[in-house]
Amino acid sequence: MLLKRRPPGIESDPPKPNKGLEHLEPNWIAVLRWLNAGEVDYIVVGPVGDAIRGDAGAKGPVAIVPAPYSRNFERLATGLVAERARLRVTDGADRVGEHDTAPIKLTADKLARGQRWMLRFDVYDLDVLGGPRAGPGGASSSPRYQELLYEAARFEIAAGCSVEVASPTDLEHYAHLRRTGSAPEIRITRTAPTRHETT
């Protein structure tokens, strides 16, 4: 009989960040190490991605785009259920407690739906961003995982903890998405010439 492997727990005392990354918060490193220990494939986006790329003033939850295959979503869901993750009701990471969270039954299928899941377990915040969603006209509003991976760079943020971080362009895309709720787009409009311009 095969025994189900118990998902790893999160370390409350992660290693110190590597030189040049001292501004990274211990909770961020703890979450990223926990994802790696659970063998979850992901790309870091959001404020933590900005911080790893050098923005010492970045604040916010760990935000990831997981690799879009079923076993990966199963690993992530299993880990989140084991840590008793709850849905964050607000986007603010400054309040910690059950009064601003709601219970949720997480499954791999739910995580794969392509929406933003704002989660909290204990004192840790994690945003799981799904795959591309159709924007106006049926066009994708977010880069696909493979596109993110192609442009991403690997960083060793602490001893034994390496992560893939989205490119600066993709980080800006997700920052705009977080601020406005819609993907950035370029609109080109043409004004009709006035009468004196045509004569």
Side-chain angles (χ1 to χ4, degrees):
M1 178 172 132
L2 291 174
L3 295 176
K4 234 181 181 182
R5 190 171 77 90
R6 191 168 186 270
I10 195 160
E11 298 174 30
S12 57
D13 188 23
K16 302 280 185 243
N18 285 343
K19 187 175 180 182
L21 296 171
E22 293 88 357
H23 57 278
L24 296 185
E25 294 181 13
N27 282 2
W28 294 346
I29 296 171
V31 170
L32 295 170
R33 280 177 57 89
W34 171 75
L35 289 167
N36 289 355
E39 299 178 1
V40 176
D41 292 329
Y42 62 91
I43 296 173
V44 179
V45 294
V48 177
D50 289 325
I52 292 171
R53 284 195 175 268
D55 182 356
K59 297 287 177 205
V62 174
I64 63 164
V65 175
Y69 58 92
S70 58
R71 170 107 7 121
N72 197 50
F73 286 121
E74 287 168 14
R75 289 176 185 145
L76 180 55
T78 300
L80 289 167
V81 168
E83 292 294 329
R84 295 183 295 284
R86 295 171 61 90
L87 195 64
R88 288 195 333 269
V89 177
T90 64
D91 194 17
D94 52 341
R95 298 185 331 180
V96 175
E98 293 204 358
H99 63 281
D100 61 339
T101 63
I104 185 170
K105 183 172 177 162
L106 286 170
T107 65
D109 289 338
K110 283 183 181 177
L111 291 174
R113 286 184 189 158
Q115 65 187 66
R116 179 180 179 198
W117 293 95
M118 299 188 314
L119 305 169
R120 174 168 294 149
F121 45 102
D122 196 15
V123 296
Y124 308 100
D125 287 343
L126 175 66
D127 287 0
V128 179
L129 306 173
R133 285 181 289 183
S140 172
S141 63
S142 294
R144 295 179 185 276
Y145 176 83
Q146 289 300 331
E147 293 168 350
L148 288 173
L149 186 59
Y150 182 74
E151 297 287 335
R154 181 167 281 278
F155 292 84
E156 185 169 350
I157 61 171
C161 184
S162 293
V163 295
E164 294 284 347
V165 180
S167 71
T169 302
D170 290 326
L171 289 173
E172 180 55 37
H173 171 91
Y174 280 100
H176 185 277
L177 195 60
R178 183 175 181 210
R179 281 191 310 269
T180 66
S182 63
E185 59 183 76
I186 298 174
R187 289 186 183 169
I188 300 172
T189 58
R190 235 177 238 187
T191 57
T194 59
R195 275 178 74 182
H196 71 277
E197 289 176 341
T198 57
T199 55

